[in-house]
Amino acid sequence: MKRIISLAVSLVILAAIYWKIDFSGLIQVFQNCDRTWMAISLGMVIPLIFATSWRLDRLMPPGTALGIGEANRLILASSTLNMILPSKMGDIAKAYFMKERGHLDGSLSLSLVVFEKSCDFLSLLLWCVFGLILYPQKDTLFWVMTVCVVSGFLFFSLLLASRRFARFFFLLAKAIAPRKFRKKLDSLQISWGEMHRYFWQDQRQLQIIALTSILIWLGHLLQIWFFILALNAWTPFLANLALSPLAILAGLLPLTFAGVGTRDAALILFYQPYFDAPTAAALGLLCTSRYLIPAIAGLPFLGQYLSAVRRLQKPLN
């Protein structure tokens, strides 16, 4: 039901967007696109997936072997599941798959996925902070967003780096959260504590994973800039470092289906100084393809994981 509601919200937002913009202009934007840049930008999905697969394999403890091939299948299958299951269940299922196949025990596999997603989120916030600080056209709205993003980056950095702060946060969250969420917070706190114990004991490994995550997200933001070039539009790259992460963050709000709608509206709003609404709407469709292509590529691997997902959902229902 939640997925149906989020899909309905996405459709309503998209209908409002396409009602207001010149739809024939949107078609013309794609007809006049630079096909070379379009192929390059869409093709960047492949190295980005393999870089993410390498990072997942690198995160495995010494003495365990996931392998690039298995890591790649897990990431593609979880991308498919994230499109059809609520609350990023595909990422949770990825931890279950690693446990199911005997790679890791349950709590460590979940902590590994939590750490992976935390690195992704912090890397996105880092580039957003960098771009917003250098962004020249900051009005009141952008100053507010800059303060919020910087505060969020500092908060999540403390949560990831400090055991004491993490313990205080989870105690406070459980004290104010509704009763039905407290069990989930307990599980997350256990995984978070194990993540601290495991990942902070190897500083060199931590630095490699952090640098890899930062470079992966630079690749994602570079891909979005290439999308803009493919549409025969222009935005300074430093401005794109500020604007595209803000649109991605808008898409992470749990309101719509895979961020569709909120991300498109944010792109139209934030890129107004650089190109028109039909071009921004076309950019929104290309940004959606960043999630859709891996999800389609993961379909051949989905069957072998569906039974595990069903077993995972039973105790959650």
Side-chain angles (χ1 to χ4, degrees):
M1 181 57 67
K2 290 179 181 178
R3 213 55 172 168
I4 293 172
I5 292 173
S6 64
L7 179 59
V9 173
S10 288
L11 291 175
V12 168
I13 295 175
L14 288 177
I17 290 173
Y18 293 136
W19 178 265
K20 289 195 171 185
I21 69 171
D22 180 10
F23 189 75
S24 62
L26 172 64
I27 301 299
Q28 190 172 9
V29 169
F30 280 112
Q31 289 175 339
N32 297 333
C33 71
D34 187 310
R35 287 169 174 73
T36 300
W37 276 115
M38 186 66 74
I40 292 172
S41 56
L42 290 173
M44 282 189 69
V45 169
I46 297 173
L48 287 170
I49 288 175
F50 274 98
T52 308
S53 301
W54 180 88
R55 183 186 62 180
L56 179 60
D57 184 49
R58 179 82 193 204
L59 281 168
M60 298 296 289
T64 59
L66 186 61
I68 296 295
E70 178 73 359
N72 194 56
R73 288 190 290 271
L74 281 171
I75 287 170
L76 291 175
S78 67
S79 298
T80 307
L81 292 171
N82 279 334
M83 295 291 289
I84 59 178
L85 295 177
S87 305
K88 291 290 183 179
M89 183 67 76
D91 292 319
I92 300 174
K94 184 165 61 178
Y96 191 80
F97 299 153
M98 288 188 284
K99 174 190 173 185
E100 181 82 357
R101 295 188 173 225
H103 296 296
L104 297 170
D105 63 56
S107 59
L108 183 55
S109 63
L110 182 58
S111 67
L112 187 149
V113 171
V114 168
F115 182 73
E116 180 192 30
K117 295 294 106 181
S118 299
C119 286
D120 274 336
F121 190 61
L122 274 176
S123 298
L124 175 62
L125 289 179
L126 176 65
W127 283 117
C128 191
V129 168
F130 180 74
L132 282 171
I133 289 174
L134 298 178
Y135 188 68
Q137 305 179 39
K138 282 196 282 287
D139 53 14
T140 303
L141 174 62
F142 269 86
W143 276 115
V144 170
M145 288 189 293
T146 300
V147 171
C148 290
V149 172
V150 171
S151 301
F153 176 75
L154 294 175
F155 171 78
F156 284 104
S157 296
L158 274 173
L159 197 61
L160 193 63
S162 171
R163 293 184 185 182
R164 182 177 298 179
F165 182 80
R167 194 179 304 114
F168 169 76
F169 167 76
F170 281 109
L171 287 174
L172 180 62
K174 286 187 289 187
I176 62 177
R179 185 180 298 274
K180 63 179 181 179
F181 292 115
R182 290 176 189 172
K183 188 175 180 180
K184 293 181 180 180
L185 285 170
D186 281 330
S187 299
L188 183 58
Q189 184 178 10
I190 292 170
S191 298
W192 201 270
E194 185 157 356
M195 177 193 70
H196 273 273
R197 287 190 296 273
Y198 171 66
F199 290 106
W200 285 96
Q201 66 185 0
D202 189 342
Q203 294 295 315
R204 183 174 179 276
Q205 168 81 334
L206 186 65
Q207 291 168 5
I208 292 172
I209 296 302
L211 179 60
T212 302
S213 301
I214 292 170
L215 292 176
I216 286 173
W217 268 101
L218 177 61
H220 284 298
L221 301 180
L222 188 64
Q223 181 187 33
I224 295 174
W225 191 58
F226 286 169
F227 283 152
I228 294 172
L229 299 183
L231 296 173
N232 286 314
W234 172 252
T235 302
F237 182 65
L238 288 178
N240 184 68
L241 286 181
L243 301 177
S244 54
L246 288 175
I248 292 172
L249 290 171
L252 293 178
L253 295 174
L255 303 173
T256 56
F257 177 80
V260 176
T262 50
R263 185 171 53 245
D264 300 76
L267 288 168
I268 293 173
L269 173 64
F270 295 145
Y271 282 91
Q272 275 181 347
Y274 299 103
F275 41 77
D276 57 19
T279 304
L283 179 60
L285 292 174
L286 290 175
C287 287
T288 299
S289 74
R290 297 174 58 251
Y291 305 94
L292 188 59
I293 292 173
I296 293 173
L299 287 173
F301 311 116
L302 191 59
Q304 58 186 299
Y305 298 122
L306 281 178
S307 60
V309 174
R310 294 190 188 101
R311 290 193 294 274
L312 173 62
Q313 284 185 307
K314 282 180 182 178
L316 297 178
N317 293 332

